[in-house]
Amino acid sequence: MTDYEKICDFQNLYKAHLNSRKGKRHKGEVIKFELELAKNLTEIQQQLIAKKYRMKGYYHFQVHEPKTRDIYAARYPDRVVLHCICDEVLVPAIGKRLIYDNAACQKGKGSHFALDRLSKFLREHYKAHGTQGYFLKCDISKYFASLDHEVLKAKLAKALKDPDVLALLHHFIDSYSTQGTPGKGVPLGNQTSQCFGIYYLDAADRLIKEKLRVKHYLRYMDDLVLAHPSKAYLRECLVQIRALVEGELHLTLNASTQIFPIKNGVEFLGWRFYLTDTGKVIRKMRAQSKVRFKRRMKKLQADYAAGKIDLLNVKQCLASYKGHLGHGNAYKLKVRTLKGFVLKRERRE
């Protein structure tokens, strides 16, 4: 079975539907799709086999945490196809090409993996150099909005050899561009965008790990963190990283990219990491993250009071929040916040 045939396979499309509907079974378009499930999946399959599948369009909305972002979400049939492409072809193809310390959006990896990995790097650095040394922290300006379509297509051609899969991916890539910049950007709402995001900077990963030989390097999507005893060497690393990112990948490092002492700590994924004089790694939640956490807890209370969610949903959310806080030194924050967490239902006349 070719890669394109895997995408066309009815059972694979059905599995993609099951994955796509998770957490969204109450949505109108999902309910409508499931009312004639066999018919809808067959139509998608036939269009794919005939190589005539076309995007149905996007829903546009904004989210405001941690900052305002424009989300373009594909229609449900398109989400099923995108899920099938990722699950059956794209993830297996690019997954084996990525470095181990590319931490985002992969099975067995994610934010908690990245947090633990950075802590491990700091402990290793302390054994060899104590608290002497520096961080280089790089961030890409408007990462998803700036991905170059032609560069992305060329990179995908290295990982995927089936021309029909590439043609289908090109259709999805060309279906969107950042406003005012044709040929740039991928929508934050598409699952393929996450795969594109972790793969697009692979050349930078290779440069840092294989040419520059920086052992303590970690990337989470477009956040790059390097730790090294020599400030001068990190300056040279920054020169080469900037040349690659701006020249070959057509991206821009933002103003927050800088080199600073390890003693100052580093912010990463909503936490600030400190390496103490005894070699202990302390993680403290950033002030902005604390504000967002407290705001979410208040919203949870308000949604329960208004009857928008039930007690099971509340318990699941609380378990998730407790688990996240457990990955850092946030005991006092957890106790203070949960101590005042009271659930009440609004009285209805």
Side-chain angles (χ1 to χ4, degrees):
M1 186 182 290
T2 67
D3 283 343
Y4 193 75
E5 287 171 344
K6 292 177 185 176
I7 297 170
C8 299
D9 182 78
F10 189 89
Q11 288 300 319
N12 289 339
L13 287 168
Y14 178 66
K15 285 191 297 182
H17 157 66
L18 296 180
N19 288 325
S20 298
R21 75 179 185 179
K22 288 179 180 177
K24 298 179 177 65
R25 296 193 69 177
H26 63 289
K27 299 286 186 179
E29 63 173 345
V30 179
I31 294 171
K32 184 178 178 181
F33 189 88
E34 289 198 305
L35 286 174
E36 297 183 288
L37 181 59
K39 174 177 174 291
N40 289 326
L41 288 177
T42 300
E43 285 182 359
I44 290 174
Q45 182 189 38
Q46 290 173 345
Q47 291 170 7
L48 287 169
I49 291 172
K51 300 173 187 175
K52 294 182 179 179
Y53 189 87
R54 293 295 178 265
M55 282 281 296
K56 308 297 187 293
Y58 291 99
Y59 299 108
H60 174 227
F61 58 94
Q62 290 184 326
V63 296
H64 302 283
E65 287 190 9
K67 56 186 176 183
T68 299
R69 298 180 188 272
D70 284 297
I71 306 297
Y72 287 84
R75 309 281 176 168
Y76 189 74
D78 296 329
R79 294 208 297 274
V80 172
V81 175
L82 290 168
H83 226 301
C84 194
I85 293 172
C86 290
D87 295 346
E88 304 302 328
V89 177
L90 194 53
V91 170
I94 68 174
K96 58 189 177 185
R97 303 175 71 92
L98 304 175
I99 66 167
Y100 183 75
D101 292 314
N102 181 338
C105 302
Q106 300 169 71
K107 188 175 182 179
K109 296 186 180 180
S111 60
H112 294 156
F113 168 87
L115 295 174
D116 293 339
R117 192 71 174 159
L118 182 54
S119 293
K120 179 178 182 291
F121 285 167
L122 288 174
R123 288 192 291 269
E124 289 178 351
H125 180 92
Y126 179 83
K127 289 178 181 178
H129 310 288
T131 58
Q132 300 302 309
Y134 297 85
F135 284 118
L136 166 56
K137 190 168 187 294
C138 303
D139 188 28
I140 306 298
S141 178
K142 299 178 181 178
Y143 183 50
F144 285 98
S146 302
L147 297 190
D148 186 281
H149 288 187
E150 296 309 311
V151 173
L152 177 59
K153 290 175 184 177
K155 290 183 70 66
L156 289 172
K158 294 178 181 179
L160 302 167
K161 301 306 177 184
D162 190 322
D164 293 327
V165 174
L166 288 170
L168 183 59
L169 282 172
H170 290 182
H171 169 67
F172 280 108
I173 291 169
D174 292 334
S175 70
Y176 172 89
S177 61
T178 302
Q179 190 172 14
T181 52
K184 291 274 192 176
V186 293
L188 286 173
N190 280 4
Q191 187 183 3
T192 47
S193 298
Q194 303 301 313
C195 295
F196 297 157
I198 62 175
Y199 183 49
Y200 195 90
L201 282 171
D202 183 63
D205 297 337
R206 299 290 172 183
L207 169 68
I208 295 166
K209 295 292 285 188
E210 296 171 4
K211 181 182 177 182
L212 298 173
R213 298 286 182 177
V214 177
K215 181 181 179 181
H216 296 145
Y217 163 68
L218 181 67
R219 175 163 73 89
Y220 191 92
M221 203 58 76
D222 63 325
D223 285 339
L224 293 71
V225 178
L226 297 76
H228 196 274
S230 171
K231 186 176 185 180
Y233 190 69
L234 286 179
R235 284 175 176 160
E236 174 59 26
C237 291
L238 179 55
V239 170
Q240 295 196 40
I241 292 169
R242 192 184 299 276
L244 173 69
V245 166
E246 297 183 356
E248 181 181 321
L249 302 180
H250 302 170
L251 300 172
T252 305
L253 295 177
N254 69 20
S256 65
T257 296
Q258 58 182 314
I259 299 170
F260 48 91
I262 282 178
K263 290 181 179 179
N264 292 0
V266 63
E267 290 187 355
F268 189 61
L269 299 180
W271 298 86
R272 190 166 189 88
F273 287 70
Y274 294 95
L275 181 60
T276 69
D277 291 334
T278 61
K280 184 178 180 180
V281 178
I282 295 176
R283 303 177 193 166
K284 292 186 177 180
M285 187 174 280
R286 294 174 54 205
Q288 290 179 333
S289 299
K290 289 181 183 179
V291 171
R292 287 199 300 273
F293 171 68
K294 292 176 181 178
R295 189 179 297 148
R296 287 169 184 166
M297 295 294 282
K298 289 181 179 179
K299 186 176 187 305
L300 201 60
Q301 290 174 294
D303 286 347
Y304 179 79
K308 295 180 180 179
I309 57 175
D310 58 21
L311 188 58
L312 178 60
N313 294 133
V314 174
K315 289 181 177 179
Q316 290 173 339
C317 289
L318 287 177
S320 176
Y321 293 152
K322 287 178 182 178
H324 182 64
L325 291 175
H327 284 266
N329 301 86
Y331 176 76
K332 291 183 179 179
L333 172 65
K334 181 166 62 174
V335 170
R336 285 198 305 267
T337 305
L338 295 179
K339 186 177 180 180
F341 188 84
V342 179
L343 294 176
K344 295 180 180 180
R345 285 287 196 190
E346 293 177 353
R347 290 187 177 181
R348 298 182 179 180
E349 298 296 334

